[in-house]
Amino acid sequence: MAGTEGRSSSSSSSSVVADWSLVFWTLCSVIVPVLITLWCSFQRSRRQVLIRDIFRKSKHDWHYTDLFGQPSYCCVCAQHILQGAFCNCCGLRVSEGCLKKADQHFLCKEIMMRSDGRAHSSMPHHWIRGNVPLCSYCVVCKQQCGTQPKLCDYRCVWCQCTVHDDCMLDCLKIEECTFGEFKDLIIPPYYLSTVNQLRKDKRTDYEKVIAFCFLKHWIPVIVLANTRSGNNMGEILLGEFKILLNPVQVFDLSKTTPAKALQLCTLLPCNAVRVLVCGGDGTVGWVLDAIDEMKIKGQERFIPQVAILPLGTGNDLSNTLGWGAGYAGEVPVEQILRNVMEADGIKLDRWKVQVTNKGYYNLRKPKVFTMNNYFSIGPDALMALNFHAHREKTPSLFSSRIINKAVYFFYGTKDCLVQECKDLNKKVELELDGERIELPNLEGIIVLNIGYWGGGCRLWEGMGDEPYPLARHDDGLLEVVGVHGSFHCAQIQVKLANPVRLGQAHTVRLILKSSKMPMQVDGEPWAQGPCTVTITHKTHALMLYHSGEQTDDDASSVSEQEHVREQTDEEV
C-alpha cells in the first residue's frame, strides 16, 4: 500500500511539473514575440526620430526610401544598399548609418555662390561619384558609364554630364561648367550672388549683370508644383526638377504660395521668364490670380508666360493649350523642359463672374470669381458639387485620377435617374450682349471660354457636322450652350449628339428667378439661390502653347481656324 501511494504521489507531482512547464513555455511563446515586437517598434521609432533630426539639420534635401529603383551604392562606404536616403537636389545616395558622414564630406547644390568680394561669370563642375543615370555616356571617351557593379564614375550635378573614373583628368576637374542642355533655363548661382550684392547696395540694374554673365537667349523657368493635385505625382516631379535646375527656382505650392514664389521674377530679365505649373486647372487659376496681383503692384514688366503640366482630373485648360489631358510620368522631365523652351506665347481671356443675390434688403457684397475655363448651371455643376462634398469628407480616397472620374460617372448616372435640374428654362432668364434669348426645354447652361469641357470634350463643335464659328480663347467672346441633362452630356462627350448652341457674346447675363440651383466656376461648385450672374471680360493672361500634343480633332480644328483666317484676310 505504501509503495502504491508513493508511486501515485510521484506521478501526480510529475504531472503538476509538466503542467507548469507547459504554462511557462506557452507564456514564453506569447510574451517573447510581443516583447521583441515592442522592442523593434521602439528602435524603429527611435531611429526615425534620429533620421528626422539629421534631415532637419542637414543642408541636403534628404528623402528616405525603403527600396531604391535601381542598383545603388552608398557614396560614403561604397557598399551596395537597398534602402537609405537620397538627396532631391544633388542626387547623393547613402545608407542610413552614413548620413552624418555624408553631411560632413559632401556639399549639396549651392543655390547661390559664396561671396568672395568678386563678381563671377562662371563656375566649376560639381562632381558626385557613383550612381550615374542609366544609359549615360562619358563626355571624354563616349562610352557608356555606370556599367560596373560598384561605386564608379562621376556626374556633374549642374550640367548632368558623366565621366569614367579613368577619364577624370585633372584638367577636367577644373574645367568650367556650361550647365549643359538646359543652360538657357537654369538660374546660375553666380547670377544670384551678384544680384544679392546689388540689392545690398540698393541697386536694381540687373540687365548689366546679365550682360556681364554672358547669358544670351536666357529664358529662366520657374517650376510651381502642387503636390496635392490629381495622382500625387507632384512630389516626384519636385525632386526631378531640382536635379536638373537650380533648387531655388522649384517651389512646392503646399509650402509656398504662388504670390511669394513669383517674386523671384523681379530679380530676372523683363519679359523673359517662363513658369511651369504642375497641377490641375484650379492650380493654374491660383497662379494666374497671383500674376494679376503683380499687375496691381506695378510689376507688369516682370509678368511671366505660363506653361502647364497637367496633374489634375479634368485638365481642360491644359488640353486646350496643347499640354495634354493628363500626365502620369510617361514623358521624361527632360522632354518637358524642352517643350517649355520650344512653346509659343499666346493670350488667354480671363473673365469676371459677379453673382448678386436677389432681394432689396440684401446687404451682402456680390460674390466675384475669375473664370478661365467655363461657368455652368445644371447637371454638370451638380456632379461637381456632390464630388467636392464627398472629397471634403474623405480626401484620402480621391488621390487617383481614375477613381475621381469613376465618382463623376456615378453621380452622372444618378442624375440621369433623378433629374434634379429639370425645367431650368422656367427658372432662368438668359441675356447675350443685352438681348433676351428664348430658351428651349433645358436642364443646364454652360458658358465656355476655352475649346475643351468635361475632361476632353470639344463642346461647342459637338459632332462637327455643322458649320459653326470655332471657339477661341483669345477673341473676347464666350460660347453659350445648353444641355438636356446628364445623359445628353454623355452623348456629347462620345460624339453621338450636339449641344443646344445658344450663341456667342461679349457679355453674358443669367437671372435665376426662383429655387436653388447648383453652379460652378472652373470646377469650384456651390448651391445658389435666386440671383443675377453677370460675366464680363476682365484681362488677358500670357500663356504658352505646345503644338506637340495635338490630337486629330485639335489638328482639324486648327486647320479650320487657319482656313477661316485666310478667308477673312482675303475679304479684307
Side-chain angles (χ1 to χ4, degrees), residues 41-58 62 64 85 95-101 103:
S41 62
F42 171 74
Q43 291 295 327
R44 189 183 301 111
S45 61
R46 181 171 173 269
R47 190 176 75 247
Q48 289 175 351
V49 170
L50 292 174
I51 291 174
R52 281 199 298 267
D53 186 58
I54 294 173
F55 285 5
R56 182 174 53 84
K57 296 178 181 178
S58 176
W62 292 117
Y64 188 83
S95 62
E96 197 175 296
C98 297
L99 276 170
K100 286 188 176 181
K101 290 183 179 179
D103 276 333

Side-chain angles (χ1 to χ4, degrees), residues 169 340 370 399 476:
L169 306 175
V340 173
T370 301
S399 60

Side-chain angles (χ1 to χ4, degrees), residues 67 196 210 231 276 318 354 453:
L67 182 65
N196 187 48
I210 298 171
N231 50 2
L276 176 62
S318 170
Q354 182 170 305
W453 164 86

Side-chain angles (χ1 to χ4, degrees), residues 397-551:
L397 297 179
F398 295 85
S399 60
S400 170
R401 189 182 293 126
I402 296 176
I403 293 176
N404 294 350
K405 291 189 176 183
V407 173
Y408 266 106
F409 175 77
F410 168 76
Y411 284 120
T413 306
K414 177 184 175 184
D415 186 62
C416 288
L417 303 174
V418 179
Q419 292 184 327
E420 296 184 30
C421 303
K422 62 182 180 181
D423 298 327
L424 179 70
N425 53 301
K426 298 178 182 179
K427 305 172 185 176
V428 169
E429 293 180 3
L430 174 65
E431 294 180 4
L432 301 182
D433 288 336
E435 181 180 349
R436 174 81 177 273
I437 303 297
E438 290 296 327
L439 296 175
N441 186 19
L442 298 173
E443 286 191 27
I445 295 175
I446 304 167
V447 182
L448 296 161
N449 178 46
I450 60 176
Y452 282 95
W453 164 86
C457 170
R458 298 193 71 91
L459 183 60
W460 178 252
E461 286 85 356
M463 292 188 295
D465 56 350
E466 300 177 28
Y468 268 83
L470 295 172
R472 292 179 56 186
H473 47 264
D474 59 351
D475 57 357
L477 283 173
L478 293 167
E479 288 73 39
V480 186
V481 301
V483 293
H484 295 300
S486 297
F487 185 68
H488 186 208
C489 290
Q491 287 180 309
I492 295 171
Q493 287 183 320
V494 295
K495 294 191 175 182
L496 293 178
N498 282 322
V500 181
R501 298 179 180 89
L502 301 174
Q504 293 178 298
H506 299 280
T507 302
V508 176
R509 192 163 177 256
L510 281 160
I511 302 172
L512 179 59
K513 296 181 289 186
S514 60
S515 74
K516 181 176 283 190
M517 294 292 292
M519 296 183 180
Q520 71 161 334
V521 174
D522 291 352
E524 297 297 328
W526 74 97
Q528 178 64 49
C531 67
T532 299
V533 180
T534 306
I535 306 177
T536 55
H537 193 269
K538 180 181 178 182
T539 184
H540 283 104
L542 301 178
M543 308 297 292
L544 289 169
Y545 180 83
H546 175 52
S547 58
E549 294 290 336
Q550 285 185 347
T551 61

